[in-house]
């Protein structure tokens, strides 16, 4: 009987490996060469890559990864600094290799999602607002996407963004482990439309800053921290054959018990 239980346990472990082993992760965007960027705007520091807007008014800078990344499991951290009214930063997901992060037309951006972090003077918080971009224009994929304002963060605190596949809504976006939802009623965002553009589950990731103030102060900066993405490699067990053969033995053993 003990042998019967031991064989069944071994078989169950082998089957479990076949079901639950998943893709690993890799760090991306760790070097300047990994990005396209506005000239002179991106520099390397011991804490990550620093995106700087040295201009004083009505100007934008950007940085975008040269290679697409897997959306399911994508995680990155950004830390904004030196913000005041009229400024914003955004992270962008596009199907276009040479897209311009922060653009609001399909010619410059492609198709996808631009998620704006807008400074709110009254609260001293950053309001996170996702917008869609496609051939019809900006914020037109669904009316709901134009009114999302579900997450607030202090303007100089790190924001960790995570994106995961969702069986119902296509994708789910988290800010500091909190799900971004539609502000009106708190319903989940329906991001199924993104599958039309990211057919292989990958997108180009970029960041931008816009300064609409012109006030005399230090340059706006974003510290782009660690970016992790799925490596796309699912490790399969070497063989599940022993499970089936031992199960057969267990059955015969059981018949003798």
């Amino acid at each position: 009987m003990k042998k019967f239980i031991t064989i069944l346990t071994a078989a169950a472990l082998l089957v479990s490996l076949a079901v639950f082993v998943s893709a690993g992760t890799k760090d991306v965007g760790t070097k300047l060469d990994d990005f396209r960027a506005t000239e002179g705007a991106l520099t390397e520091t011991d804490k990550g890559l620093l995106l700087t807007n040295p201009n004083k008014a009505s100007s934008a800078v950007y940085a975008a990864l040269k290679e697409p990344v897997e959306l399911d499991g994508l995680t990155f951290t950004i830390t904004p600094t030196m913000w005041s009214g009229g400024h914003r930063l955004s992270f962008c997901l596009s199907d276009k290799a040479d897209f311009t992060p922060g653009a609001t037309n399909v010619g410059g951006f492609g198709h996808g999602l631009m998620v704006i972090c807008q400074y709110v003077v009254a609260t001293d918080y950053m309001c996170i607002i996702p917008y869609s971009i496609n051939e019809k224009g900006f914020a037109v994929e669904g009316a709901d996407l134009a009114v999302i304002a579900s997450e607030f963060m202090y303007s100089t605190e790190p924001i960790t963004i995570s994106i995961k596949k969702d069986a119902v809504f296509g994708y789910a976006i988290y800010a500091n482990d909190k799900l971004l939802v539609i502000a009106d009623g708190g319903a989940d965002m329906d991001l199924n439309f993104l599958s039309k553009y990211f057919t292989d589950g990958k997108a180009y990731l970029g960041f931008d800053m816009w300064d609409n103030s012109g006030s005399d102060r230090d340059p706006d900066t974003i510290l782009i921290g660690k970016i992790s993405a799925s490596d796309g490699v699912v490790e399969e067990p070497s063989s599940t054959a022993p499970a089936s053969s031992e199960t057969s033995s267990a059955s015969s053993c059981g018949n003798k018990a």
Side-chain angles (χ1 to χ4, degrees):
M1 185 66 180
K2 289 182 179 179
K3 180 180 179 182
F4 173 69
I5 294 173
T6 300
I7 293 173
L8 281 181
T9 302
L13 285 172
L14 283 170
V15 172
S16 296
L17 283 174
V19 173
F20 295 109
V21 173
S22 60
T25 60
K26 62 181 179 180
D27 293 342
V28 297
T30 57
K31 300 174 294 190
L32 290 177
D33 287 346
D34 296 332
F35 287 84
R36 297 181 297 107
T38 303
E39 185 176 358
L42 196 63
T43 55
E44 196 167 343
T45 76
D46 58 355
K47 295 182 179 179
L49 298 177
L50 192 68
L51 183 63
T52 302
N53 188 352
N55 300 302
K56 294 298 183 183
S58 301
S59 62
V61 294
Y62 75 86
L65 286 175
K66 295 176 181 177
E67 299 296 329
V69 292
E70 293 276 354
L71 279 183
D72 187 19
L74 176 64
T75 301
F76 58 88
T77 299
I78 51 178
T79 305
T81 64
M82 301 307 300
W83 291 96
S84 60
H87 303 171
R88 65 144 171 86
L89 65 90
S90 68
F91 65 88
C92 308
L93 302 169
S94 174
D95 64 348
K96 186 177 181 180
D98 60 347
F99 85 113
T100 302
T104 56
N105 61 84
V106 71
F109 186 95
H111 305 86
L113 203 65
M114 178 167 69
V115 183
I116 294 176
C117 302
Q118 178 71 54
Y119 181 74
V120 181
V121 176
T123 60
D124 192 30
Y125 284 0
M126 301 290 283
C127 175
I128 300 178
I129 313 172
Y131 292 98
S132 59
I133 299 176
N134 62 20
E135 63 277 358
K136 297 178 182 178
F138 176 71
V140 294
E141 188 62 47
D144 289 338
L145 285 179
V147 297
I148 296 165
S150 61
E151 191 70 28
F152 297 86
M153 300 292 165
Y154 285 109
S155 58
T156 57
E157 288 186 346
I159 302 171
T160 297
I161 300 295
S162 300
I163 301 175
K164 298 177 182 178
K165 198 74 167 147
D166 186 274
V168 177
F169 297 102
Y171 291 95
I173 302 175
Y174 298 84
N176 290 349
D177 295 323
K178 187 172 182 179
L179 179 66
L180 296 185
V181 296
I182 298 170
D184 296 339
D188 288 355
M189 289 188 291
D190 189 348
L191 299 178
N192 280 296
F193 70 91
L194 292 177
S195 63
K196 294 187 299 183
Y197 311 131
F198 310 138
T199 55
D200 60 354
K202 295 182 178 181
Y204 291 93
L205 171 67
F207 307 89
D208 89 288
M209 289 189 298
W210 169 256
D211 177 356
N212 195 34
S213 173
S215 59
D216 185 14
R217 49 169 174 62
D218 292 335
D220 292 340
T221 57
I222 306 174
L223 181 65
I224 303 172
K226 183 178 179 180
I227 305 174
S228 299
S230 169
D231 60 11
V233 178
V234 179
E235 297 179 3
E236 297 292 346
S238 57
S239 174
T240 56
S244 58
S245 62
E246 290 183 0
T247 301
S248 298
S249 300
S251 297
S252 60
C253 179
N255 289 336
K256 291 179 180 179

